[in-house]
Amino acid sequence: MSEEFSPRAQRLRDAGHKLTHARLTVLSVLEESGGHVTSAEVLEQVNERDSTIGRASVFRTLDLLTALSIIRPTFIHTSLTPTYVLLPDGHHHHIICTNCNRVIEFEECGLGAMAAELEQRLHVKLSGHLLEFYGLCDRCC
Amino acid sequence: MSEEFSPRAQRLRDAGHKLTHARLTVLSVLEESGGHVTSAEVLEQVNERDSTIGRASVFRTLDLLTALSIIRPTFIHTSLTPTYVLLPDGHHHHIICTNCNRVIEFEECGLGAMAAELEQRLHVKLSGHLLEFYGLCDRCC
DNA sequence: CACGCAGTTGATACAATATCTCAAAATCAG
DNA sequence: CTGATTTTGAGATATTGTATCAACTGCGTG
């Protein structure tokens, strides 16, 4: 029977990977946490839902999702731990305040056209992007 | 006497930081390595030039330069080590192949206009940006 | 140009984070 | 259901970044 899986889970399967319990758990944690999470937070959440899932599997899944452009690691604050960002439709944009580290997200972007131009000029096949501005937020100006 | 320092070093000083031997060494390593380096590579290069400089200072300097938008950590391949990117004029753009991890840099960008619009609408003061596309490079298509 | 203070350093011990290995278990096509 | 193959989990280990703190240094000041 064709069970119901999230579109992202389908992408995993389509890429030839198995939909295991561990992977689905990590994915649902990411989807429900709103977009910005560190690996430590993912580990904690996964552990809460099912403490039998090993750390190694969580990291492996994060790497896998990164390779598929489903999430993207980025540095919000510390240089020690990356923060993973869900890419809703393959892209994401935010502003990081270099003073208070607040993250301001915004929609938009005229980058579809730029992507198309780059694909043609450089003979590449783009699947997503991350645009990160940094500066001072309204409170820190 | 007004010694000669690189523009980036001046930015450090202007922000109220001292131009110490350790900081200038880290900065020159970054400037001479072309733009993409991991922290391990920076440590190694710094150590080659002056083995008395401690690891802690190197990491502290990387964090400092990041806060000033002079460099930006980004994930090229592994989730363990960030790769630092020099921001020539406060911005940088590249494409990362999700298959072979090759990095393709490109110039451009119509983002100045977008930045101006965001500054006005969100009351922020932007100083730089990083635009990262991912997909398959010409060899991996 | 010597003085002195705040900012910075370097060494090491420590903490946090990710990877490796491999037998056992789970997925899923047929 | 069954088998081929991928994936998992546990923990030991490696890697990477941080805390601490006395000693030192850049640089404005007198």
Side-chain angles (χ1 to χ4, degrees), chain B residues 22-84:
Chain B
R23 285 175 179 166
L24 291 172
T25 303
V26 171
L27 194 51
S28 72
V29 163
L30 285 168
E31 291 186 330
E32 286 167 32
S33 50
H36 289 113
V37 248
T38 63
S39 55
E41 288 166 343
V42 173
L43 279 172
E44 186 189 326
Q45 291 289 323
V46 167
N47 191 57
E48 254 178 45
R49 300 194 186 191
D50 184 343
S51 61
T52 70
I53 295 176
R55 312 170 212 301
S57 294
V58 174
F59 284 110
R60 279 184 293 229
T61 303
L62 289 175
D63 283 347
L64 183 58
L65 294 174
T66 300
L68 293 175
S69 292
I70 289 176
I71 60 174
R72 187 74 202 162
T74 180
F75 282 100
I76 300 297
H77 177 191
T78 169
S79 53
L80 182 54
T81 310
T83 296
Y84 289 90

Side-chain angles (χ1 to χ4, degrees), chain B residues 90-114:
Chain B
H91 60 145
H92 186 80
H93 323 87
H94 58 219
I95 299 170
I96 298 173
C97 177
T98 53
N99 188 54
C100 71
N101 297 304
R102 194 153 67 100
V103 177
I104 304 168
E105 306 192 28
F106 63 93
E107 291 305 316
E108 129 324 315
C109 60
L111 292 178
M114 188 192 298

Side-chain angles (χ1 to χ4, degrees), chain A residues 12 18 20-27 30 39 42-43 46-47 50-66 71 84, chain B residues 79:
Chain A
L12 258 186
K18 296 182 177 174
T20 65
H21 176 58
R23 284 174 180 166
L24 291 172
T25 303
V26 170
L27 194 52
L30 286 167
S39 55
V42 174
L43 278 172
V46 167
N47 193 57
D50 184 343
S51 62
T52 70
I53 295 176
R55 311 169 215 302
S57 293
V58 174
F59 284 111
R60 278 184 293 229
T61 303
L62 289 175
D63 282 349
L64 183 58
L65 294 174
T66 300
I71 60 174
Y84 290 90
Chain B
S79 53

Side-chain angles (χ1 to χ4, degrees), chain A:
Chain A
M1 292 303 92
S2 68
E3 244 186 279
E4 295 296 320
F5 286 117
S6 79
R8 277 180 259 260
Q10 282 297 343
R11 284 175 63 188
L12 258 186
R13 173 179 282 172
D14 292 346
H17 302 283
K18 296 182 177 174
L19 296 185
T20 65
H21 176 58
R23 284 174 180 166
L24 291 172
T25 303
V26 170
L27 194 52
S28 73
V29 163
L30 286 167
E31 292 186 329
E32 287 167 33
S33 51
H36 288 113
V37 249
T38 63
S39 55
E41 287 166 343
V42 174
L43 278 172
E44 186 188 327
Q45 291 289 324
V46 167
N47 193 57
E48 254 178 45
R49 300 193 187 192
D50 184 343
S51 62
T52 70
I53 295 176
R55 311 169 215 302
S57 293
V58 174
F59 284 111
R60 278 184 293 229
T61 303
L62 289 175
D63 282 349
L64 183 58
L65 294 174
T66 300
L68 293 175
S69 294
I70 289 176
I71 60 174
R72 187 74 202 161
T74 181
F75 282 101
I76 300 296
H77 176 189
T78 168
S79 54
L80 181 53
T81 310
T83 296
Y84 290 90
V85 175
L86 251 189
L87 301 171
D89 300 300
H91 60 146
H92 186 80
H93 324 87
H94 57 219
I95 298 169
I96 299 173
C97 177
T98 53
N99 188 55
C100 71
N101 296 304
R102 192 153 69 99
V103 177
I104 304 169
E105 305 192 30
F106 63 93
E107 292 305 317
E108 133 314 323
C109 60
L111 291 179
M114 189 192 297
E117 192 269 330
L118 286 170
E119 287 193 325
Q120 196 159 52
R121 179 154 59 87
L122 301 174
H123 308 294
V124 295
K125 181 87 188 71
L126 301 178
S127 58
H129 64 256
L130 173 68
L131 173 57
E132 195 170 81
F133 282 97
Y134 16 94
L136 298 174
C137 71
D138 51 353
R139 297 183 207 149
C140 295
C141 267

